Amino acid sequence: VSERKRRKTRGAGGRGQARDLTRAKVVSVALSLIDADGADAISMRGLADAVGVTPMSLYNHFSNKRDLLSSIAASVVGNAQFDGGQKGWRAQLEHCFGVLRDLCLRHPGLPRLLEFEGVAPASIFAPMEVTLGALRKAGLDDIGSLRTYFLLMGFTLAQAAYQTRPIPALELSEDVRTRRIAGRGYTTTERIELPSNWDFDAAFSFGITLILNGVEATVAQSRKRKTVRREKE
Amino acid sequence: VSERKRRKTRGAGGRGQARDLTRAKVVSVALSLIDADGADAISMRGLADAVGVTPMSLYNHFSNKRDLLSSIAASVVGNAQFDGGQKGWRAQLEHCFGVLRDLCLRHPGLPRLLEFEGVAPASIFAPMEVTLGALRKAGLDDIGSLRTYFLLMGFTLAQAAYQTRPIPALELSEDVRTRRIAGRGYTTTERIELPSNWDFDAAFSFGITLILNGVEATVAQSRKRKTVRREKE
DNA sequence: ACCTGAACACCGTTCAAGT
DNA sequence: ACCTGAACACCGTTCAAGT
């Protein structure tokens, strides 16, 4: 059935074809598998089968599974342009995290890859660079900027992860309302009214706008506090 | 070595002892394993060994692994008090997500359990109930409240997950700075100055405050927009 | 240098057999 | 009703053997 089996039956004659295995080829097939079934679904054996090779061949090109996953993450994140050249700090951040979100929507396994496998590539510092520059322009200090970067990053990844792999038990569907919410004292949640299909794009830009509003308010507050302190002296 | 082995050597005589297996007992042992090694580390076979029983005995009490993980999540989340009885909506939210965060810090496997395994218990709607009530008081509409709930939830879980299982590749350590940041054009990131040890508590309350500031600003904006619209008519 | 099969130590789960 | 061992179809990875 599989490409691997076909090659096996062809015998040792297929030497030249079997040897054209490269890191790039493996990464490309692996990415398509992750896009289809999520980061958890990928296995060295299944990937080898999809590539048309024995599982152990992969270990000639990658030292282990983590190394392979790192290469996938690097190829995805490395090709993105997080700096859109906008002038205002708000527009810069909206673009930067919009790009990150698009990446996650195109590659549903990415958030999981970045957060949990410890395979974040060096290029993950590209959105960090844009963010820290923009937030400095907004008036935050170093620590505040870094804290806000983690907030924006966490929000964007969580939101995209939820959109691509929704958690049925948390959906406010009729079924969940009657079976998991009704009669448990969740009166506000019970009564809440929602459109029949959730607008993820709108929810995302609402969240980003809210956070950027929060940045402005926080900067204004700390400026005020500093002025008061100066006046007291 | 293991309790299980001990019982085996005792033979069929230990019938009464081997039969006192309950869901509660299994959940309690499983929780201690998760707390120690994370949600990924738990396996039916390893858990059975820790409980002192054959792997298949567990299937007499849980229909499968997902069922077991659900029970763990339910026991952790179900015993928390997210409603602290505060009067102000800000204080309510600070308490609610503070409690959630404490839960995650005490049980490092929890964020993973809630987000990715699809085992969120019905009691996960308790913090949702508190949040929606508080945000309505703050002046947000239904959709805005729900969007902000997801923002607060995502931020809190991501922050706690990062604190309990930090990603070394993202730490701004000297090693990361020289090996992954220097010479790649990340000039702002390169120059940023940080205290030697990151204060997670301060970063968390900074984030919550920023979000709540954002809520106030967003409410004020939408009120203003409505007033303008009314004046035009 | 690269690819291979066999093997090791794992996994969740089914099934038929015990008491 | 509850517990058991054997078995099935998986995992990532090591190792010695091929070319």
Side-chain angles (χ1 to χ4, degrees):
Chain A
V1 172
S2 69
E3 174 68 12
R4 180 185 157 207
K5 283 250 176 76
R6 236 190 64 219
R7 205 157 270 165
K8 267 208 281 189
T9 59
R10 217 194 287 140
R15 186 179 179 258
Q17 295 227 5
R19 295 224 166 196
D20 61 0
L21 194 63
T22 60
R23 280 177 72 99
K25 190 179 170 186
V26 175
V27 165
S28 132
V29 174
L31 188 57
S32 73
L33 288 184
I34 285 187
D35 288 352
D37 302 322
D40 290 326
I42 203 170
S43 76
M44 296 299 273
R45 295 166 120 105
L47 174 58
D49 222 57
V51 173
V53 90
T54 271
M56 294 325 301
S57 299
L58 301 178
Y59 287 86
N60 285 312
H61 302 270
F62 303 89
S63 57
N64 49 37
K65 192 177 185 181
R66 209 181 56 73
D67 180 24
L68 190 145
L69 293 176
S70 298
S71 301
I72 298 169
S75 91
V76 171
V77 179
N79 287 325
Q81 186 53 260
F82 296 98
D83 187 350
Q86 290 81 2
K87 280 175 192 165
W89 63 272
R90 289 187 77 117
Q92 275 184 316
L93 291 173
E94 278 159 11
H95 174 263
C96 175
F97 288 94
V99 167
L100 181 63
R101 177 166 177 265
D102 285 346
L103 236 49
C104 293
L105 296 184
R106 255 205 306 279
H107 306 290
L110 188 60
R112 183 67 171 270
L113 226 51
L114 292 180
E115 281 191 289
F116 289 97
E117 309 279 358
V119 297
S123 48
I124 199 63
F125 287 109
M128 190 176 194
E129 174 72 13
V130 173
T131 306
L132 295 181
L135 290 174
R136 169 175 285 255
K137 251 199 274 179
L140 285 179
D141 60 12
D142 279 3
I143 292 189
S145 297
L146 204 61
R147 287 170 176 169
T148 307
Y149 162 75
F150 283 118
L151 168 52
L152 285 163
M153 197 75 174
F155 167 67
T156 303
L157 294 181
Q159 199 87 351
Y162 185 81
Q163 178 171 358
T164 52
R165 323 215 147 255
I167 304 171
L170 292 185
E171 221 98 45
L172 281 185
S173 60
E174 271 318 305
D175 184 53
V176 170
R177 279 172 194 270
T178 56
R179 298 228 329 255
R180 313 189 92 222
I181 294 177
R184 294 175 190 262
Y186 304 143
T187 54
T188 309
T189 308
E190 214 165 341
R191 265 184 235 137
I192 209 160
E193 282 187 41
L194 288 180
S196 55
N197 40 6
W198 186 249
D199 186 341
F200 283 101
D201 290 0
F204 175 69
S205 60
F206 176 93
I208 292 288
T209 301
L210 193 148
I211 293 173
L212 300 190
N213 287 348
V215 168
E216 273 182 7
T218 303
V219 169
Q221 263 184 20
S222 79
R223 285 225 174 101
K224 210 162 142 196
R225 234 177 291 137
K226 265 186 203 149
T227 316
V228 172
R229 223 180 293 151
R230 231 173 261 143
E231 278 168 1
K232 274 187 183 165
E233 286 170 3
Chain B
V1 172
S2 69
E3 174 69 12
R4 180 185 156 208
K5 283 252 176 74
R6 234 190 66 220
R7 204 156 271 166
K8 267 208 285 189
T9 60
R10 217 194 289 139
R15 186 179 179 260
Q17 296 227 4
R19 294 223 167 197
D20 61 0
L21 194 63
T22 61
R23 279 177 73 97
K25 190 179 170 187
V26 174
V27 165
S28 133
V29 174
L31 188 56
S32 73
L33 288 184
I34 285 188
D35 288 352
D37 302 323
D40 290 326
I42 204 169
S43 77
M44 296 299 273
R45 295 165 119 105
L47 173 59
D49 222 59
V51 173
V53 90
T54 270
M56 294 326 302
S57 300
L58 301 178
Y59 286 85
N60 285 312
H61 302 270
F62 302 90
S63 56
N64 50 36
K65 192 179 184 179
R66 210 180 56 74
D67 181 24
L68 192 146
L69 294 176
S70 298
S71 302
I72 299 169
S75 91
V76 171
V77 179
N79 288 325
Q81 186 53 262
F82 296 98
D83 187 351
Q86 289 82 2
K87 280 176 192 164
W89 63 272
R90 289 187 77 117
Q92 276 184 313
L93 291 173
E94 278 159 11
H95 174 263
C96 175
F97 287 94
V99 167
L100 180 63
R101 178 167 177 263
D102 285 347
L103 236 49
C104 293
L105 297 184
R106 254 205 306 279
H107 306 291
L110 188 60
R112 183 67 170 270
L113 226 51
L114 291 179
E115 280 191 289
F116 289 97
E117 310 279 357
V119 298
S123 47
I124 199 63
F125 287 109
M128 191 177 192
E129 174 72 14
V130 174
T131 306
L132 296 181
L135 289 174
R136 168 177 286 254
K137 250 199 275 179
L140 284 181
D141 60 12
D142 279 3
I143 292 189
S145 297
L146 204 60
R147 287 171 177 169
T148 308
Y149 162 76
F150 283 119
L151 168 53
L152 284 162
M153 197 75 175
F155 168 67
T156 303
L157 293 180
Q159 199 86 353
Y162 185 81
Q163 178 170 357
T164 52
R165 323 214 147 256
I167 304 170
L170 291 185
E171 221 98 46
L172 281 185
S173 60
E174 272 317 306
D175 184 52
V176 169
R177 279 171 194 271
T178 56
R179 299 225 330 251
R180 313 189 90 222
I181 295 178
R184 293 173 190 263
Y186 304 143
T187 53
T188 309
T189 308
E190 214 166 341
R191 265 184 233 137
I192 210 160
E193 281 186 42
L194 287 180
S196 55
N197 39 6
W198 185 250
D199 185 341
F200 283 101
D201 290 0
F204 175 70
S205 61
F206 176 94
I208 292 287
T209 302
L210 192 149
I211 293 173
L212 301 189
N213 286 349
V215 168
E216 272 183 7
T218 303
V219 169
Q221 263 183 21
S222 79
R223 284 221 176 103
K224 210 161 141 196
R225 236 177 289 135
K226 265 185 205 150
T227 316
V228 171
R229 225 180 292 148
R230 232 173 261 144
E231 278 168 3
K232 274 187 183 168
E233 287 169 0

